[in-house]
Amino acid sequence: MPNENESHANDARPIIIIGESLADEFDDGSQVVGGAPMNVAWNLTGLGLAPLFLTAVGKDALGEQITDGARNWGMRMEGFQHIDDKPTGRVKVTMDDNEPSYEILADQAYDHLSVDRLPELPSAKPILYHGSLCFRSATTRNTIESVRRRVKDWQGTIFLDINLRKKQFKEEWLPSLLGGLDVLKCNVNELEELSPSGTIERNRESITAAAKEFLQRWSIGECWLTDGANGAHWVSAKGDTEFVSTPSIRQEDFEDTVGAGDAFASIVLRGLATGQTAVQTLETAVEFAARICQMRGATSEDRHVYDLSNT
């Protein structure tokens, strides 16, 4: 009998992931493959799906490490581009009271993802996931916008996981990022920063109202909102909403929050691809994100981490 991951994969809509692959480097010298799109592509592969990941790495030892790791994990490799004269992306991660801060290095290989070197893309109503970090580069931004236009032509779904990191985001990008968007994923702090009304009271009614207002302002269909230990929300432009509490984690089991948002986004994409309800998706997403918080870094090579039979 096929397991849950296999049965979901059989009928899933195709998923395209586009953006950065890099290494998160921690204070103690350890290094973990990262980048939100890479994390999401890795997670979805572990969950039994086969996303097409469009990214770029340098022709260096780190680029080889990332591609070898992705290949050994079973990821599709036709979307990887290799850039001759640019380094594979790196981010320096500093932990402060279990919360990460990031120094994101400039002019990395993923800033040079070329539209001319893309493989054939799936055209059967695909779901496209991307973030906002790669919009810092004109070359990769042009590639993302080109893929977005194709996905729209194919009646697909555009999914944005926005990230408002200082020095890595410009408000002038918003029309391009949010125009024509179908699904937005962000946290409540990011929604507050984006919303013209400013401060959002931390209760379900206020969060839902702010999300609905934002969705209607930009003509976005739905939003998936994380609020840390307080839980997660799904809100539609019509005002439909669901909420799920975050599962508790024993202090001795907690490691860090690196990749928790990417884990959440991975499950949302899986839910969209397989036709799950919003509440089913939310319940699984918060459970999986909590699981990632109990290990170092954003992804794992342990297949048991991706077994959702116990969530």
Side-chain angles (χ1 to χ4, degrees):
M1 177 180 292
N3 64 32
E4 182 186 3
N5 288 347
E6 290 172 343
S7 61
H8 278 298
N10 291 335
D11 300 318
R13 293 169 59 190
I15 299 175
I16 305 168
I17 310 292
I18 185 167
E20 65 272 15
S21 51
L22 47 82
D24 289 326
E25 299 179 344
F26 292 85
D27 292 341
D28 61 4
S30 63
Q31 197 177 69
V32 179
V33 172
M38 178 67 172
N39 295 339
V40 170
W42 183 283
N43 288 339
L44 287 172
T45 301
L47 293 167
L49 300 176
L52 174 61
F53 182 32
L54 309 176
T55 191
V57 296
K59 291 187 175 180
D60 51 25
L62 179 56
E64 185 174 345
Q65 175 188 335
I66 288 174
T67 53
D68 285 350
R71 185 179 295 107
N72 291 338
W73 184 242
M75 289 173 60
R76 296 171 59 178
M77 302 304 297
E78 65 264 38
F80 279 70
Q81 297 180 14
H82 299 268
I83 310 300
D84 290 322
D85 56 350
K86 300 296 177 182
T88 300
R90 291 187 299 127
V91 172
K92 296 180 180 179
V93 184
T94 303
M95 303 302 299
D96 182 12
D97 194 24
N98 290 322
E99 287 297 323
S101 61
Y102 304 91
E103 179 188 351
I104 303 173
L105 304 184
D107 197 24
Q108 308 289 279
Y110 62 77
D111 292 309
H112 300 271
L113 184 63
S114 171
V115 69
D116 297 327
R117 297 171 59 188
L118 293 179
E120 182 178 356
L121 304 179
S123 58
K125 293 186 177 181
I127 301 169
L128 171 65
Y129 164 100
H130 71 90
S132 52
L133 175 59
C134 276
F135 256 57
R136 71 182 190 173
S137 152
T139 299
T140 301
R141 180 167 65 247
N142 175 65
T143 302
I144 293 172
E145 290 177 337
S146 175
V147 175
R148 280 178 61 136
R149 288 191 295 270
R150 296 188 210 180
V151 169
K152 276 296 185 184
D153 287 343
W154 295 326
Q155 299 181 324
T157 300
I158 310 296
F159 182 115
L160 172 68
D161 188 350
I162 201 163
N163 195 312
L164 306 183
R165 299 205 191 283
K166 292 180 180 179
K167 300 181 181 180
Q168 305 293 336
F169 184 83
K170 295 181 179 180
E171 191 171 341
E172 65 194 52
W173 300 342
L174 284 176
S176 295
L177 286 168
L178 301 178
L181 188 65
D182 299 296
V183 182
L184 173 67
K185 182 262 172 185
C186 63
N187 61 46
V188 174
N189 292 334
E190 289 164 339
L191 178 65
E192 187 173 66
E193 189 171 341
L194 290 168
S195 297
S197 55
T199 303
I200 300 173
E201 293 184 28
R202 289 308 198 266
N203 59 67
R204 182 175 177 182
E205 183 177 279
S206 297
I207 291 170
T208 298
K212 179 183 175 182
E213 178 186 8
F214 189 80
L215 293 173
Q216 291 180 343
R217 178 186 176 204
W218 289 97
S219 299
I220 301 169
E222 61 187 81
C223 181
W224 299 78
L225 278 163
T226 58
D227 193 16
N230 297 320
H233 307 254
W234 169 80
V235 183
S236 77
K238 297 178 181 179
D240 299 323
T241 181
E242 298 285 357
F243 171 80
V244 172
S245 298
T246 299
S248 60
I249 302 174
R250 295 185 307 173
Q251 186 173 358
E252 60 267 30
D253 294 333
F254 183 86
E255 185 65 38
D256 61 52
T257 61
V258 175
D262 302 332
F264 183 92
S266 302
I267 297 298
V268 174
L269 285 165
R270 173 181 176 270
L272 293 172
T274 59
Q276 289 191 317
T277 67
V279 70
Q280 286 174 326
T281 298
L282 274 179
E283 289 171 347
T284 306
V286 297
E287 290 281 355
F288 186 60
R291 184 178 298 183
I292 295 299
C293 288
Q294 296 174 66
M295 65 183 207
R296 186 65 178 271
T299 59
S300 175
E301 294 182 0
D302 181 355
R303 296 283 175 180
H304 292 96
V305 170
Y306 300 93
D307 180 1
L308 300 181
S309 59
N310 294 322
T311 60

